[in-house]
Amino acid sequence: MEEQKMADFRQRLEERRQEILDIQSLSREENAPVELDQTRVGRLSRMDAMQQRAMSRATSEMLNAEKNRIEIALRRMKTGDYGYCMHCDEEIFHGRLQVDPSMLVCITCARSAEKP
């Protein structure tokens, strides 16, 4: 892969990883236990708090998965494996990496993984 494209992908990956780390540090504060003192927080019910907590956990899991993909992609850049499918070792099309530089598999392997 061309050095300039690789540098652009690396920069995008590092910037996104930093965004995720910033979001995660903010969400730790938001995930503190919810105090249900009705006089202080209004009519926040236990169900609302539980639902908000579940949504926050799901978001956190998605961010962790993305961060892991980014870290794997950055390691693969260092070893020279970046841009090649982790399953079949075929080159991942540039357009696919342009959309998401943390892609680790080619479109063929991604499609076959989605089939039941």
Side-chain angles (χ1 to χ4, degrees), residues 2-113:
E2 187 181 307
E3 278 188 48
Q4 183 59 43
K5 289 179 185 176
M6 185 74 79
D8 290 343
F9 288 144
R10 181 179 295 112
Q11 181 179 355
R12 286 179 55 199
L13 288 167
E14 289 172 349
E15 287 173 358
R16 180 60 183 154
R17 180 177 56 182
Q18 189 57 52
E19 287 174 14
I20 291 171
L21 292 172
D22 293 344
I23 290 168
Q24 288 176 329
S25 71
L26 288 174
S27 80
R28 280 187 201 101
E29 296 168 11
E30 292 173 358
N31 284 334
V34 177
E35 191 174 319
L36 294 175
D37 179 2
Q38 297 276 333
T39 62
R40 202 169 73 87
V41 291
R43 294 183 161 241
L44 179 65
S45 72
R46 181 164 171 74
M47 290 301 290
D48 290 339
M50 289 170 49
Q51 181 180 19
Q52 190 137 26
R53 185 83 125 168
M55 289 180 358
S56 178
R57 277 193 207 117
T59 300
S60 178
E61 288 173 11
M62 287 176 22
L63 287 173
N64 276 330
E66 183 180 1
K67 185 176 75 169
N68 289 340
R69 278 194 327 270
I70 289 170
E71 290 172 352
I72 291 168
L74 289 170
R75 280 195 304 270
R76 289 174 62 87
M77 282 181 173
K78 289 179 183 175
T79 63
D81 295 325
Y82 180 76
Y84 294 93
C85 180
M86 290 183 69
H87 296 292
C88 70
D89 213 28
E90 291 293 319
E91 188 171 356
I92 300 172
F93 292 115
H94 180 264
R96 185 166 169 79
L97 292 172
Q98 193 68 33
V99 171
D100 183 355
S102 69
M103 289 288 174
L104 301 173
V105 296
C106 67
I107 192 72
T108 304
C109 290
R111 284 183 181 149
S112 66

